[in-house]
């Protein structure tokens, strides 16, 4: 990475601390919701409110980051979540339902706003050439935080109760906010309030009709490719909900006396796989040239590995399947995220906002549908159907990209109409002399990216 590597890595460490608190809180808050509401329906309503607030925030995230800096969004959302968790920690012994619902709204929206701001700011913080490696660092940190958060939830709650768990989560958000405030990373390329770069280019004077036609074709290309990736990402989230809902059932069936140990082992093996994905991708010199096809293939592999995990494999084979699923999961996350980050500065925020909406909606729908299906069907059948849908979506994206490339190769002008979303003025003259386009350089990302 560039000279800002230390600053970015410090932000990642602070974000990993807040992610640890978030995953610890996922378990604590679900148990606490049952204590407050007294019914499984009440827990479902609280979860639905949290997911709905995240979906709504995704729709508004692009507009918000167009008006204020991403750094401001990150700090304010962390502080808001800190305050929400402090309130819950202080009232843990007697929390009214409206206070609980207000807190989960802040948590759901705050998490989405923060992640959209952070992911869209990565190319500004580390440079376009280093974004794939930076995304790998983020994925690795989040994976470790996931395992530690899930593993420590039970002992923290047992020793200190819900109040201590909420206080730990509040402190984790405060650490993240303080790090961003102190480090002040550069998060925005374009001045806030300026029209997106693509719109400025479209409004330029003196453009010919042929140039305008080429621009429209390029914009149509990015719409088809990126919308296809975002749609597949939402379908992948729907499929992932099925194994998240079904895994506790599999854990109780495999190890009735210690299901928590089973789940900790599984997710630890999964985290090892995501770490391996980062190690592999960061050694690939042309990693940022991977895109829709790499994302689709990775999604297929991830779905097949998660389905295999529910086929009753012996323990060593199950752990191997978990590692492979984690590798594919990390691969798709890095490739997908890096691909969206290739877009111009302000367009990135809107793309990540749309992506967050698709992911949250898919996961919410998948959670409800999988839970209902598991009442009548075995876990393998449910996980197989849901991940089978993701595989079908990945194959459809492969066909879409293959068809688009075929049309590009037969273009009368021989020009590549695919749109990387990057400002070509950022490419060095040396690369232009070599005839490299955005598909073949490490700075280009039309071939890249993609929890």
């Amino acid at each position: 990475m560039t000279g800002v590597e230390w600053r970015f890595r410090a932000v990642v460490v602070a974000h990993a601390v807040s992610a640890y608190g978030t995953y610890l809180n996922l378990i604590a808050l679900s148990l606490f919701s049952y204590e407050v509401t007294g019914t499984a329906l009440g827990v479902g309503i609280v979860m639905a409110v949290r997911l709905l607030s995240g979906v709504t925030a995704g729709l508004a995230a692009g507009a918000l980051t167009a008006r204020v800096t991403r750094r401001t969004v990150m700090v304010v959302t962390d502080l808001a979540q800190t305050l929400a968790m402090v309130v819950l920690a202080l009232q843990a012994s007697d929390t009214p339902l409206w206070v609980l619902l207000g807190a989960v709204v802040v948590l759901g929206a705050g998490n989405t706003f923060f992640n959209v701001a952070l992911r869209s700011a990565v190319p500004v913080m580390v440079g376009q050439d280093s974004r794939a490696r930076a995304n790998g660092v983020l994925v690795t940190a989040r994976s470790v935080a996931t395992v530690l958060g899930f593993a420590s939830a039970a002992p923290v709650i047992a020793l200190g109760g819900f109040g201590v768990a909420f206080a730990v989560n509040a402190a984790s958000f405060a650490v993240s906010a303080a790090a961003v405030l102190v480090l002040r990373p550069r998060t925005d390329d374009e001045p806030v309030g300026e029209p997106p770069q693509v719109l400025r280019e479209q409004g330029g004077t003196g453009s010919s009709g042929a140039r305008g036609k080429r621009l429209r074709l390029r914009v149509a290309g990015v719409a088809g490719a990126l919308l296809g990736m975002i749609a597949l990402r939402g379908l992948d989230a729907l499929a992932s909900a099925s194994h998240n809902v079904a895994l506790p059932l599999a854990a109780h069936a495999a190890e009735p006396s210690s299901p928590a140990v089973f789940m900790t082992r599984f997710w630890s093996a999964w985290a090892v796989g995501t770490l391996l994905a980062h190690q592999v991708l960061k050694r690939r010199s042309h990693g940022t040239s991977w895109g829709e096809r790499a994302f689709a293939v990775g999604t297929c592999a991830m779905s097949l590995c998660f389905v295999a995990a529910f086929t009753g494999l012996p323990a060593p084979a199950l752990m191997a399947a978990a590692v492979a699923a984690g590798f594919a999961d990390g691969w798709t996350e890095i490739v997908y995220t890096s691909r969206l980050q290739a877009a111009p500065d302000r367009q990135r925020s809107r793309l990540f906002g749309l992506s967050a909406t698709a992911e949250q909606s898919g996961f919410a729908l998948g959670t409800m549908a999988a839970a209902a299906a598991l009442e009548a069907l075995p876990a393998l059948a449910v996980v197989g159907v849901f991940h089978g849908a993701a595989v079908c979506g990945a194959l459809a994206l492969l066909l879409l990209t293959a068809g688009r490339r075929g049309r590009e190769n037969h273009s009368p002008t021989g020009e590549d109409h695919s749109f990387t979303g990057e400002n070509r003025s950022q490419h060095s003259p040396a690369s232009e002399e070599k005839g490299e386009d955005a598909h073949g350089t490490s700075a280009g990302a039309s071939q890249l990216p993609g929890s």
Side-chain angles (χ1 to χ4, degrees):
M1 295 185 199
T2 64
V4 299
E5 179 179 5
W6 71 270
R7 195 186 303 266
F8 174 76
R9 289 186 179 274
V11 170
V12 170
V13 170
H15 177 55
V17 172
S18 71
Y20 161 78
T22 296
Y23 287 109
L24 182 154
N25 190 50
L26 282 177
I27 294 178
L29 196 60
S30 62
L31 296 173
F32 183 70
S33 298
Y34 184 78
E35 186 173 284
V36 172
T37 63
T39 65
L41 176 62
V43 176
I45 291 174
V46 172
M47 292 179 62
V49 169
R50 181 170 183 167
L51 289 170
L52 182 61
S53 63
V55 170
T56 306
L59 295 173
L64 178 63
T65 55
R67 288 168 172 78
V68 297
T69 64
R70 296 185 180 105
R71 184 170 61 235
T72 300
V73 173
M74 292 162 67
V75 171
V76 170
T77 53
D78 267 340
L79 291 178
Q81 292 178 93
T82 300
L83 179 60
M85 296 315 300
V86 167
V87 170
L88 281 185
L90 293 176
Q91 297 191 355
S93 59
D94 185 21
T95 303
L97 180 59
W98 68 269
V99 172
L100 175 60
L101 292 176
V104 299
V105 167
V106 174
L107 292 174
N111 181 65
T112 297
F113 280 132
F114 184 95
N115 283 326
V116 169
L118 176 61
R119 293 164 80 184
S120 58
V122 165
V124 185
M125 297 168 70
V126 303
Q128 283 285 358
D129 287 352
S130 298
R131 68 185 187 277
R133 179 174 295 184
N135 290 327
V137 173
L138 275 171
V139 169
T140 299
R142 188 193 64 188
S143 300
V144 173
T146 301
V147 175
L148 293 179
F150 285 158
S152 63
V156 168
I157 296 171
L159 292 174
F162 293 115
V164 171
F166 296 152
V168 170
N169 194 201
S172 71
F173 287 128
V175 168
S176 178
V180 178
L181 277 171
V182 171
L183 296 171
R184 297 185 62 80
R186 182 168 174 260
T187 58
D188 298 82
D189 265 339
E190 300 178 2
V192 174
E194 288 290 315
Q197 178 181 329
V198 171
L199 295 181
R200 292 202 303 269
E201 291 176 354
Q202 287 179 307
T205 58
S207 59
S208 64
R211 180 180 177 184
K213 182 178 180 180
R214 288 196 300 269
L215 182 58
R216 287 193 297 272
L217 286 169
R218 290 167 67 188
V219 172
V222 72
L226 289 184
L227 289 180
M229 291 184 73
I230 291 172
L232 178 56
R233 188 68 170 176
L235 190 57
D236 173 42
L238 183 145
S240 296
S242 69
H243 66 248
N244 276 279
V245 174
L247 191 60
L249 302 181
H252 279 281
E255 298 186 25
S257 60
S258 55
V261 174
F262 176 93
M263 292 188 65
T264 300
R265 278 204 313 267
F266 183 91
W267 288 119
S268 296
W270 170 87
V272 169
T274 62
L275 176 61
L276 292 175
H278 169 51
Q279 296 301 315
V280 170
L281 280 171
K282 77 176 185 179
R283 286 172 170 77
R284 306 291 295 188
S285 59
H286 297 290
T288 49
S289 67
W290 294 329
E292 298 92 350
R293 289 181 295 178
F295 174 59
V297 171
T299 300
C300 286
M302 178 175 57
S303 290
L304 294 175
C305 290
F306 273 119
V307 172
F310 287 84
T311 58
L313 297 172
L318 176 62
M319 293 302 102
V323 170
F327 183 91
D329 209 350
W331 173 285
T332 54
E333 171 72 15
I334 296 169
V335 171
Y336 175 81
T337 303
S338 303
R339 174 63 186 92
L340 265 60
Q341 287 168 348
D345 188 54
R346 287 300 153 193
Q347 191 185 54
R348 282 201 300 272
S349 295
R350 290 175 170 81
L351 287 173
F352 278 110
L354 180 60
S355 176
T357 298
E359 292 174 47
Q360 296 270 9
S361 300
F363 193 82
L365 178 60
T367 299
M368 293 185 292
L374 285 168
E375 293 293 325
L377 298 172
L380 176 59
V382 174
V383 174
V385 169
F386 276 66
H387 276 287
V391 170
C392 291
L395 294 176
L397 180 60
L398 285 172
L399 290 175
L400 172 67
T401 55
R404 190 189 64 179
R405 290 180 181 279
R407 290 191 297 271
E408 290 167 359
N409 292 337
H410 290 86
S411 171
T413 61
E415 181 177 354
D416 181 1
H417 296 305
S418 63
F419 180 52
T420 66
E422 295 185 46
N423 183 358
R424 282 188 175 272
S425 64
Q426 296 175 350
H427 291 247
S428 66
S431 65
E432 292 176 359
E433 291 173 2
K434 294 178 183 178
E436 296 177 345
D437 63 7
H439 288 280
T441 63
S442 62
S446 71
Q447 291 299 30
L448 237 145
S451 69

